[in-house]
Short mmCIF file of all heavy atoms in Angstrom, two decimals:
data_model
loop_
_atom_site.label_atom_id
_atom_site.label_comp_id
_atom_site.label_asym_id
_atom_site.label_seq_id
_atom_site.Cartn_x
_atom_site.Cartn_y
_atom_site.Cartn_z
N LEU A 22 25.86 -73.65 -53.05
CA LEU A 22 27.01 -72.76 -53.10
C LEU A 22 27.63 -72.72 -51.69
O LEU A 22 28.91 -72.78 -51.59
CB LEU A 22 26.58 -71.35 -53.46
CG LEU A 22 27.65 -70.28 -53.58
CD1 LEU A 22 28.72 -70.66 -54.59
CD2 LEU A 22 27.04 -68.91 -53.95
N ALA A 23 26.86 -72.58 -50.66
CA ALA A 23 27.41 -72.53 -49.28
C ALA A 23 28.12 -73.86 -48.96
O ALA A 23 29.23 -73.88 -48.38
CB ALA A 23 26.29 -72.26 -48.28
N LYS A 24 27.52 -74.98 -49.33
CA LYS A 24 28.17 -76.28 -49.06
C LYS A 24 29.51 -76.39 -49.73
O LYS A 24 30.51 -76.77 -49.07
CB LYS A 24 27.28 -77.44 -49.63
CG LYS A 24 26.05 -77.78 -48.81
CD LYS A 24 25.29 -78.91 -49.49
CE LYS A 24 23.98 -79.21 -48.79
NZ LYS A 24 23.26 -80.30 -49.49
N VAL A 25 29.57 -76.05 -51.01
CA VAL A 25 30.83 -76.12 -51.73
C VAL A 25 31.86 -75.19 -51.17
O VAL A 25 33.02 -75.59 -50.95
CB VAL A 25 30.61 -75.84 -53.22
CG1 VAL A 25 31.90 -75.70 -53.99
CG2 VAL A 25 29.74 -76.93 -53.84
N GLN A 26 31.48 -73.96 -50.86
CA GLN A 26 32.47 -73.02 -50.40
C GLN A 26 32.90 -73.33 -48.93
O GLN A 26 34.07 -73.08 -48.57
CB GLN A 26 31.88 -71.59 -50.46
CG GLN A 26 31.73 -71.11 -51.91
CD GLN A 26 31.20 -69.75 -52.03
OE1 GLN A 26 30.38 -69.29 -51.23
NE2 GLN A 26 31.62 -69.02 -53.09
N GLY A 27 32.03 -73.89 -48.18
CA GLY A 27 32.42 -74.39 -46.84
C GLY A 27 33.41 -75.54 -46.94
O GLY A 27 34.42 -75.58 -46.23
N ARG A 28 33.15 -76.46 -47.90
CA ARG A 28 34.06 -77.58 -48.10
C ARG A 28 35.42 -77.13 -48.56
O ARG A 28 36.44 -77.73 -48.23
CB ARG A 28 33.39 -78.51 -49.13
CG ARG A 28 34.06 -79.91 -49.22
CD ARG A 28 33.13 -80.91 -49.87
NE ARG A 28 32.70 -80.51 -51.22
CZ ARG A 28 31.44 -80.40 -51.59
NH1 ARG A 28 30.45 -80.60 -50.73
NH2 ARG A 28 31.12 -80.05 -52.85
N LEU A 29 35.44 -76.08 -49.40
CA LEU A 29 36.72 -75.58 -49.94
C LEU A 29 37.39 -74.61 -48.94
O LEU A 29 38.52 -74.17 -49.22
CB LEU A 29 36.46 -74.82 -51.27
CG LEU A 29 35.98 -75.67 -52.46
CD1 LEU A 29 35.56 -74.74 -53.60
CD2 LEU A 29 37.11 -76.62 -52.90
N GLY A 30 36.71 -74.30 -47.86
CA GLY A 30 37.33 -73.40 -46.91
C GLY A 30 37.25 -71.92 -47.27
O GLY A 30 37.94 -71.09 -46.68
N LEU A 31 36.41 -71.61 -48.27
CA LEU A 31 36.26 -70.24 -48.65
C LEU A 31 35.35 -69.45 -47.71
O LEU A 31 35.44 -68.20 -47.66
CB LEU A 31 35.71 -70.15 -50.07
CG LEU A 31 36.57 -70.84 -51.16
CD1 LEU A 31 35.88 -70.72 -52.53
CD2 LEU A 31 37.96 -70.25 -51.20
N ILE A 32 34.44 -70.10 -47.04
CA ILE A 32 33.67 -69.50 -45.99
C ILE A 32 33.70 -70.48 -44.80
O ILE A 32 33.97 -71.66 -44.96
CB ILE A 32 32.18 -69.27 -46.42
CG1 ILE A 32 31.43 -70.60 -46.66
CG2 ILE A 32 32.12 -68.35 -47.70
CD1 ILE A 32 29.95 -70.42 -46.93
N PRO A 33 33.46 -69.96 -43.60
CA PRO A 33 33.47 -70.83 -42.42
C PRO A 33 32.42 -71.96 -42.52
O PRO A 33 31.32 -71.73 -43.02
CB PRO A 33 33.09 -69.89 -41.29
CG PRO A 33 33.47 -68.53 -41.76
CD PRO A 33 33.20 -68.55 -43.22
N GLN A 34 32.81 -73.17 -42.15
CA GLN A 34 31.89 -74.29 -42.23
C GLN A 34 30.66 -74.07 -41.41
O GLN A 34 29.55 -74.44 -41.73
CB GLN A 34 32.62 -75.58 -41.77
CG GLN A 34 31.73 -76.81 -41.92
CD GLN A 34 31.40 -77.09 -43.35
OE1 GLN A 34 32.23 -77.08 -44.22
NE2 GLN A 34 30.08 -77.29 -43.66
N GLU A 35 30.85 -73.35 -40.25
CA GLU A 35 29.71 -72.97 -39.39
C GLU A 35 28.69 -72.10 -40.16
O GLU A 35 27.45 -72.31 -40.06
CB GLU A 35 30.20 -72.25 -38.15
CG GLU A 35 29.10 -71.86 -37.15
CD GLU A 35 29.60 -71.05 -35.96
OE1 GLU A 35 30.74 -70.50 -36.09
OE2 GLU A 35 28.87 -71.03 -34.96
N ALA A 36 29.22 -71.22 -40.98
CA ALA A 36 28.37 -70.34 -41.79
C ALA A 36 27.63 -71.14 -42.84
O ALA A 36 26.41 -70.97 -43.08
CB ALA A 36 29.14 -69.22 -42.42
N ALA A 37 28.34 -72.05 -43.46
CA ALA A 37 27.73 -72.88 -44.52
C ALA A 37 26.58 -73.71 -43.93
O ALA A 37 25.48 -73.80 -44.52
CB ALA A 37 28.80 -73.81 -45.12
N ASP A 38 26.81 -74.34 -42.76
CA ASP A 38 25.77 -75.16 -42.12
C ASP A 38 24.59 -74.29 -41.75
O ASP A 38 23.42 -74.74 -41.94
CB ASP A 38 26.35 -75.83 -40.89
CG ASP A 38 27.42 -76.85 -41.21
OD1 ASP A 38 27.51 -77.26 -42.38
OD2 ASP A 38 28.23 -77.18 -40.28
N GLU A 39 24.80 -73.07 -41.28
CA GLU A 39 23.70 -72.24 -40.86
C GLU A 39 22.86 -71.80 -42.08
O GLU A 39 21.67 -71.76 -42.04
CB GLU A 39 24.29 -71.00 -40.13
CG GLU A 39 23.25 -70.02 -39.63
CD GLU A 39 22.34 -70.54 -38.53
OE1 GLU A 39 22.65 -71.64 -37.98
OE2 GLU A 39 21.35 -69.91 -38.20
N ILE A 40 23.63 -71.42 -43.12
CA ILE A 40 22.88 -71.00 -44.35
C ILE A 40 22.03 -72.12 -44.91
O ILE A 40 20.86 -71.93 -45.22
CB ILE A 40 23.90 -70.52 -45.38
CG1 ILE A 40 24.55 -69.23 -44.97
CG2 ILE A 40 23.21 -70.32 -46.78
CD1 ILE A 40 25.81 -68.84 -45.74
N VAL A 41 22.62 -73.29 -45.00
CA VAL A 41 21.90 -74.50 -45.56
C VAL A 41 20.64 -74.80 -44.73
O VAL A 41 19.59 -75.18 -45.32
CB VAL A 41 22.84 -75.72 -45.62
CG1 VAL A 41 22.06 -76.95 -45.97
CG2 VAL A 41 23.96 -75.49 -46.63
N SER A 42 20.74 -74.63 -43.42
CA SER A 42 19.60 -74.98 -42.57
C SER A 42 18.40 -74.12 -42.82
O SER A 42 17.26 -74.49 -42.44
CB SER A 42 20.03 -74.89 -41.06
OG SER A 42 20.23 -73.50 -40.70
N HIS A 43 18.61 -72.96 -43.41
CA HIS A 43 17.48 -72.01 -43.64
C HIS A 43 17.02 -71.95 -45.09
O HIS A 43 16.14 -71.21 -45.44
CB HIS A 43 17.87 -70.58 -43.18
CG HIS A 43 18.06 -70.48 -41.71
ND1 HIS A 43 17.06 -70.62 -40.80
CD2 HIS A 43 19.22 -70.29 -40.97
CE1 HIS A 43 17.53 -70.49 -39.58
NE2 HIS A 43 18.82 -70.32 -39.64
N CYS A 44 17.68 -72.73 -45.98
CA CYS A 44 17.31 -72.71 -47.38
C CYS A 44 16.06 -73.57 -47.66
O CYS A 44 16.13 -74.56 -48.44
CB CYS A 44 18.50 -73.17 -48.27
SG CYS A 44 19.77 -71.92 -48.35
N ARG A 45 15.00 -73.23 -47.01
CA ARG A 45 13.71 -73.92 -47.14
C ARG A 45 12.63 -72.94 -47.43
O ARG A 45 12.61 -71.85 -46.87
CB ARG A 45 13.36 -74.71 -45.89
CG ARG A 45 14.41 -75.76 -45.45
CD ARG A 45 13.78 -76.78 -44.54
NE ARG A 45 12.92 -76.20 -43.53
CZ ARG A 45 13.36 -75.80 -42.32
NH1 ARG A 45 14.65 -75.96 -41.94
NH2 ARG A 45 12.51 -75.28 -41.43
N LEU A 46 11.77 -73.30 -48.36
CA LEU A 46 10.71 -72.37 -48.82
C LEU A 46 9.82 -71.92 -47.70
O LEU A 46 9.38 -70.78 -47.67
CB LEU A 46 9.88 -73.03 -49.92
CG LEU A 46 8.87 -72.12 -50.64
CD1 LEU A 46 9.56 -70.98 -51.37
CD2 LEU A 46 7.96 -72.92 -51.57
N ASP A 47 9.59 -72.81 -46.73
CA ASP A 47 8.65 -72.46 -45.62
C ASP A 47 9.24 -71.38 -44.72
O ASP A 47 8.59 -70.82 -43.85
CB ASP A 47 8.27 -73.67 -44.82
CG ASP A 47 9.46 -74.38 -44.13
OD1 ASP A 47 10.57 -73.88 -44.24
OD2 ASP A 47 9.23 -75.48 -43.59
N GLN A 48 10.52 -71.04 -44.88
CA GLN A 48 11.14 -69.97 -44.09
C GLN A 48 11.18 -68.63 -44.80
O GLN A 48 11.62 -67.63 -44.25
CB GLN A 48 12.53 -70.39 -43.65
CG GLN A 48 12.55 -71.59 -42.72
CD GLN A 48 13.77 -71.70 -41.88
OE1 GLN A 48 14.45 -70.72 -41.59
NE2 GLN A 48 14.19 -72.88 -41.53
N ILE A 49 10.72 -68.64 -46.06
CA ILE A 49 10.68 -67.42 -46.87
C ILE A 49 9.32 -66.80 -46.81
O ILE A 49 8.33 -67.43 -47.04
CB ILE A 49 11.11 -67.68 -48.29
CG1 ILE A 49 12.52 -68.26 -48.39
CG2 ILE A 49 11.02 -66.45 -49.17
CD1 ILE A 49 13.59 -67.28 -47.88
N ASP A 50 9.28 -65.50 -46.48
CA ASP A 50 8.03 -64.72 -46.50
C ASP A 50 7.78 -64.27 -47.97
O ASP A 50 8.39 -63.33 -48.42
CB ASP A 50 8.21 -63.52 -45.57
CG ASP A 50 6.92 -62.72 -45.44
OD1 ASP A 50 6.09 -62.73 -46.38
OD2 ASP A 50 6.76 -62.04 -44.39
#
């Protein structure tokens, strides 16, 4: 969702990249 919305300009690309970088199970408690 973040990738698509960043590509469409609906959210800042910087935000999309930051969100994607943390979408890993090992970062979830």
Side-chain angles (χ1 to χ4, degrees):
L22 180 59
K24 284 181 185 178
V25 170
Q26 291 180 328
R28 193 162 59 236
L29 292 171
L31 300 180
I32 67 172
Q34 186 62 51
E35 183 184 16
D38 294 340
E39 181 68 10
I40 291 165
V41 170
S42 72
H43 294 292
C44 286
R45 302 200 315 269
L46 188 64
D47 61 7
Q48 295 201 29
I49 297 297
D50 185 333

